[in-house]
Amino acid sequence: MRAAVLAITLTLIGSAGTTPVRRILDPRPAQDTVAEARHRMAQGLLDRLGDRSTLRADSVWTDLQVLGAFKAGQLVRMMDEGFGRALGVGCNYCHVPGRFGREDSTRKQVARDMWKMMGLINGELLKAIPNLRSAQPVVNCTTCHRGQVKPLTNLDSASVR
């Protein structure tokens, strides 16, 4: 498992371009230009779920591979406010609207792998770093993405001068 997560991480780091240093110095996320549309879609889905929003997500959507243990309503809100906001994307970035179970995009699998990577970092790797000043350090999507699809992985040398 660790080898797979490391390989994914290195692949993502190696494939990214440069980002200006001001993005590191400014901890605020990029403007979420699709938030309103994403919220409307999420709210529509929550409305259609009704009482089923309290059921386990994998009992509502049988195709879930990673996040099935969450409650269905919690998963919808996590997709909206968590993943969507952290990457600054709408639902259609990974999903075909109205057909959320389709696997037409590799982005769903990348998200699954990133979720597993985050679990490994939070569950094992951070705990193994001595002298951290936080009793329970955590990373999440926003830690790296900060409202952008591609996380910051390199400093733009022109911006550093």
Side-chain angles (χ1 to χ4, degrees):
M1 172 71 171
R2 275 191 186 175
V5 171
L6 182 59
I8 291 164
T9 305
L10 293 174
T11 300
L12 291 169
I13 290 170
S15 65
T18 60
T19 302
V21 73
R22 68 181 170 276
R23 197 162 136 218
I24 294 175
L25 300 177
D26 185 355
R28 294 172 296 178
Q31 183 178 1
D32 187 351
T33 59
V34 295
E36 188 176 325
R38 191 180 61 246
H39 294 325
R40 277 195 313 270
M41 187 173 281
Q43 189 58 54
L45 186 54
L46 288 169
D47 292 345
R48 286 191 299 281
L49 279 172
D51 292 339
R52 295 182 309 150
S53 68
T54 60
L55 299 175
R56 273 182 59 119
D58 57 6
S59 71
V60 175
W61 301 289
T62 57
D63 59 325
L64 292 175
Q65 296 178 24
V66 176
L67 303 171
F70 290 95
K71 292 186 185 315
Q74 184 182 22
L75 178 59
V76 171
R77 286 186 289 281
M78 188 167 64
M79 290 281 179
D80 178 16
E81 286 296 324
F83 299 127
R85 187 172 180 210
L87 276 71
V89 298
C91 304
N92 63 343
Y93 183 76
C94 293
H95 298 282
V96 175
R99 298 171 76 188
F100 291 100
R102 289 190 56 175
E103 294 286 335
D104 292 357
S105 170
T106 58
R107 292 173 178 158
K108 278 185 174 181
Q109 189 56 49
V110 169
R112 291 174 185 129
D113 293 337
M114 295 291 273
W115 182 264
K116 291 174 187 174
M117 178 184 71
M118 183 183 71
L120 179 63
I121 291 169
N122 289 332
E124 294 179 38
L125 300 177
L126 286 176
K127 291 176 183 177
I129 300 174
N131 302 317
L132 284 180
R133 294 180 187 221
S134 174
Q136 196 169 15
V138 296
V139 298
N140 61 31
C141 304
T142 305
T143 304
C144 299
H145 284 275
R146 299 195 182 253
Q148 302 288 325
V149 171
K150 289 193 178 235
L152 177 69
T153 58
N154 199 357
L155 296 176
D156 181 354
S157 59
S159 299
V160 177
R161 292 186 185 130

